[in-house]
Amino acid sequence: MQSINKPGRSSGFTVIEIMIVLAIAGLILAIILLAIPNAKRIERNHSRKQFVNFISTQLDTYKGDTQLTYPATDAEKCLFMTKYLTKYTGPSPACTFDAAKDCMFVHGYLYDVCFHEAPSSEHSYLGEPDEISIQTGHWCNVAPSRDQEPVGNPITNGVAGNDFNVQLYVVWDSLESSPLYCVSNF
């Protein structure tokens, strides 16, 4: 059977058809380019939450390894961060005391860790998203936000002979574009 072409009509695409295809492709590309940064931010926040949870389990491991106490002295805090957190801080992190942040500090290859000095005092330093904070003697606020103290008031009294300052801990991080993430054992 012979094909009959209508007069004035070629067998290719029209300019309008090409423009519609390019507009649809541009729209799809714009959606993808806008979604990528959000997906990366979500992944970074997920990774931070995993590290906060990892620190929490490592604190309990440390407590079991050291006859039921959490790190209290500078040497114990440094030992905890350099021995128990190497998965995130690297094989040989160095501890330093940072007076401005009031903590024993370790710069890691993925995250920095700030182990606050005073278990019986409040603090207002929240840190950057890639800086995880630890403090004993505190617990998480019910709904912490960037402009609030991330942890509850310290407990300075003991119950049944136990000093809560070394029985409680809190680990938190400030996430990107969202409230703080906080884990405690209280």
Side-chain angles (χ1 to χ4, degrees), residues 61-179:
T61 300
Y62 178 92
K63 183 178 178 184
D65 291 348
T66 60
Q67 288 76 38
L68 304 176
T69 63
Y70 292 115
T73 67
D74 287 347
E76 290 170 349
K77 292 172 187 175
C78 188
L79 173 70
F80 171 74
M81 291 188 294
T82 57
K83 181 180 177 187
Y84 289 80
L85 304 181
T86 56
K87 176 179 176 181
Y88 290 92
T89 58
S92 56
C95 291
T96 57
F97 181 75
D98 189 328
K101 298 174 182 177
D102 188 30
C103 69
M104 186 60 68
F105 201 77
V106 169
H107 292 284
Y109 67 89
L110 291 177
Y111 301 98
D112 296 334
V113 180
C114 182
F115 204 133
H116 292 277
E117 276 300 295
S120 60
S121 67
E122 292 186 37
H123 52 83
S124 58
Y125 177 73
L126 299 180
E128 297 300 318
D130 287 333
E131 184 176 300
I132 312 296
S133 295
I134 307 168
Q135 190 165 10
T136 55
H138 293 261
W139 66 92
C140 298
N141 279 345
V142 174
S145 68
R146 287 188 184 279
D147 59 349
Q148 293 177 333
E149 182 71 15
V151 295
N153 292 330
I155 296 176
T156 55
N157 63 331
V159 173
N162 293 324
D163 182 2
F164 268 146
N165 287 334
V166 295
Q167 299 303 319
L168 296 178
Y169 67 80
V170 63
V171 184
W172 75 95
D173 189 17
S174 90
L175 304 176
E176 294 177 57
S177 305
S178 63

